Amino acid sequence: QVQLAESGGGPVQAGGSLRLSCATSAYIFGGYGMAWFRQGPGEKEREGVAAIDLDGTTAYADSVKGRFTISRDSAKNTLYLQMNSLKVEDTAMYYCAAEPGRVTEGLDVPLLFGYWGQGTQVTVSS
């Protein structure tokens, strides 16, 4: 069973930083690409934020390029999302997702991901 547990969300002022974490099992890091998605207030769809393949290839949404960094630590079985220069429009529930194989080309298609965490809320105030 694939288990993903996000943490690190919370309130932050615009311009600030947060680091989200997604803890999972060693099995996931052996064969799954991982990604971060978000769903803002009132949004019907989840938006792809960043993804990382097993070989370290990364992909980012245009809206977060240069501000967010995705990384994975195999020693800790944890996926991270470092978020800097946060904006009010970054306010959302952030979800960790995993899927076997390469995922960086699927950042625009949340349905491709079969495994999801429960999410962690990020609220950016002006």
Side-chain angles (χ1 to χ4, degrees):
Q1 182 179 359
V2 176
Q3 293 184 329
L4 306 169
E6 304 96 333
S7 63
V12 62
Q13 289 193 327
S17 297
L18 280 176
R19 188 177 77 161
L20 305 184
S21 300
C22 174
T24 185
S25 67
Y27 174 77
I28 300 301
F29 274 83
Y32 287 67
M34 301 186 73
W36 289 98
F37 287 80
R38 67 186 181 186
Q39 190 165 9
E43 296 290 330
K44 293 182 180 180
E45 301 290 334
R46 293 182 181 179
E47 173 193 20
V49 176
I52 185 166
D53 291 330
L54 288 168
D55 64 2
T57 301
T58 58
Y60 295 91
D62 288 342
S63 59
V64 306
K65 281 181 182 177
R67 300 189 298 122
F68 290 11
T69 302
I70 189 171
S71 62
R72 51 194 298 160
D73 186 339
S74 297
K76 297 182 178 180
N77 298 328
T78 301
L79 177 75
Y80 298 103
L81 184 68
Q82 178 66 44
M83 305 187 295
N84 299 328
S85 303
L86 282 161
K87 304 177 180 179
V88 173
E89 51 264 42
D90 293 320
T91 294
M93 184 72 80
Y94 283 72
Y95 297 91
C96 174
E99 183 64 22
R102 299 190 67 83
V103 298
T104 48
E105 296 183 3
L107 192 55
D108 295 333
V109 191
L111 287 176
L112 290 178
F113 290 80
Y115 303 95
W116 294 85
Q118 294 299 307
T120 185
Q121 178 68 38
V122 173
T123 303
V124 185
S125 60
S126 58

